Amino acid sequence: MTGDKRSYVIGQTEIAARPLAPALYLVATPIGNLADITLRALETLASADIVACEDTRVSRVLLERYGIRRRTTAYHEHNAAEAGPKLIAALEAGQSVALISDAGTPLVSDPGYRLVGEALDHGIRVVPIPGPSAALAALTASGLPSDAFLFAGFLPVKTGQRLTKLESFRQVPATLIFFESPRRLAETLAAMAKALGGGRKAAIGRELTKAFEETRTGTLRDLADHYAAADTPKGEIVICVGPAEAKADEPEDIDRLLLSLAAEMPASKAAAEAAKMTGGQKQALYRRLLELRDTAAEDSSG
């Protein structure tokens, strides 16, 4: 449906949308619960000249929920080569374009990055309108470390390629986040247990923000066994895998680290930095650094 009326409806209240400056707007939309949309996202969708959707039928549900009547066009993996230049032309002509995916934040596991790259190459302003993200929702509910994480999207379907990809993540010092199909969940967890270690902590986020939302935690081995024995789960799946346990550094490696840091900063600060990097005790590292310096001094005098 198209129209010139630029407004959105919350409850029984119709709100006029303010004009948008010409730009490409990346609008995050709900991953399940339609109430998770932000006010800024609603106003952007209501005011944009063009709303580019991964699937116009899916997006229409959201737009109709909030009384938004704007022109929509499809932009997805299969038509990006054709649809992208048309959107760029509209942007260069001074129009505003809002890009949305079926759910969550655009560009996360979808082809929107190509459009953004083309827009930037043409000197077009790109504006993020932040909001829901399945990857971040799963991470925050997983109980796993969130100070460092790596989003890896979907793994390859073929067994050998999937194992090779997982092996490349084995020593990544961060929580790993994957999307997966419900019908492949059990075999993917089994592959993860084999490639990453069955004792590694993990969490499965299913149907996040929806009525039957579930987060199941355990080791990769336990989760693989559970889903192998259970019926195929329903809904969207996010897998979070905890980081690899840090291996104890060899004494020679710690010595080299201490001497390298001490060449750039005072001994006390070098010991403190080494403690952060290795998990060792600052005082013990400080004493070791002094020993190394004394040994080096004796060698040079001898």
Side-chain angles (χ1 to χ4, degrees):
M1 182 185 300
T2 61
D4 293 324
K5 195 171 187 179
R6 307 201 180 198
S7 63
Y8 56 100
V9 177
I10 298 179
Q12 301 300 316
T13 303
E14 183 174 359
I15 304 170
R18 292 169 294 183
L20 277 182
L24 173 60
Y25 295 85
L26 310 177
V27 184
T29 56
I31 60 176
N33 191 321
L34 295 184
D36 288 337
I37 192 78
T38 70
L39 293 176
R40 188 181 178 204
L42 288 175
E43 184 169 49
T44 301
L45 293 173
S47 188
D49 295 311
I50 302 171
V51 178
C53 314
E54 185 175 358
D55 186 325
T56 57
R57 296 165 299 180
V58 172
S59 298
R60 181 53 54 194
V61 176
L62 173 67
L63 298 178
E64 289 182 351
R65 161 73 178 269
Y66 291 100
I68 296 172
R69 296 174 173 82
R70 301 307 308 143
R71 173 189 171 192
T72 61
T73 187
Y75 178 84
H76 48 72
E77 181 180 2
H78 304 294
N79 79 340
E82 177 184 354
K86 294 179 180 179
L87 293 174
I88 295 297
L91 288 161
E92 289 190 307
Q95 292 187 293
S96 56
V97 174
L99 177 67
I100 60 178
S101 62
D102 286 349
T105 301
L107 278 68
V108 178
S109 204
D110 78 33
Y113 73 92
R114 300 173 193 161
L115 185 62
V116 171
E118 292 169 5
L120 294 174
D121 288 343
H122 285 78
I124 296 167
R125 184 181 174 215
V126 177
V127 182
I129 309 295
S133 165
L136 293 181
L139 174 65
T140 55
S142 70
L144 298 171
S146 57
D147 55 333
F149 56 90
L150 185 154
F151 173 70
F154 286 94
L155 289 165
V157 175
K158 293 184 178 180
T159 301
Q161 294 176 354
R162 181 169 53 211
L163 284 172
T164 299
K165 190 71 172 180
L166 286 168
E167 285 286 352
S168 71
F169 297 134
R170 186 176 180 87
Q171 297 302 325
V172 173
T175 294
L176 308 174
I177 306 174
F178 303 89
F179 288 163
E180 190 50 280
S181 162
R183 57 189 173 82
R184 288 197 299 268
L185 178 59
E187 61 181 289
T188 293
L189 288 170
M192 288 178 170
K194 180 178 181 180
L196 304 176
R200 195 177 296 200
K201 293 181 180 179
I204 308 299
R206 187 180 68 83
E207 289 290 83
L208 296 175
T209 78
K210 300 178 184 178
F212 299 101
E213 173 182 280
E214 176 189 31
T215 298
R216 180 177 292 274
T217 61
T219 65
L220 281 173
R221 184 182 300 106
D222 290 341
L223 290 170
D225 291 343
H226 170 80
Y227 285 103
D231 293 335
T232 300
K234 297 180 180 179
E236 305 294 328
I237 301 289
V238 184
I239 305 173
C240 296
V241 182
E245 292 186 9
K247 293 182 178 179
D249 292 293
E250 296 293 334
E252 296 82 0
D253 294 334
I254 295 177
D255 288 352
R256 282 194 291 270
L257 175 63
L258 284 168
L259 291 172
S260 175
L261 291 170
E264 302 176 1
M265 60 188 72
S268 178
K269 187 174 181 180
E273 288 298 316
K276 292 179 184 178
M277 297 170 69
T278 65
Q281 295 183 344
K282 177 184 174 181
Q283 292 302 321
L285 291 168
Y286 180 73
R287 289 194 297 271
R288 178 55 182 163
L289 177 56
L290 296 183
E291 291 174 4
L292 292 170
R293 283 184 167 178
D294 290 343
T295 301
E298 291 174 3
D299 290 344
S300 62
S301 62

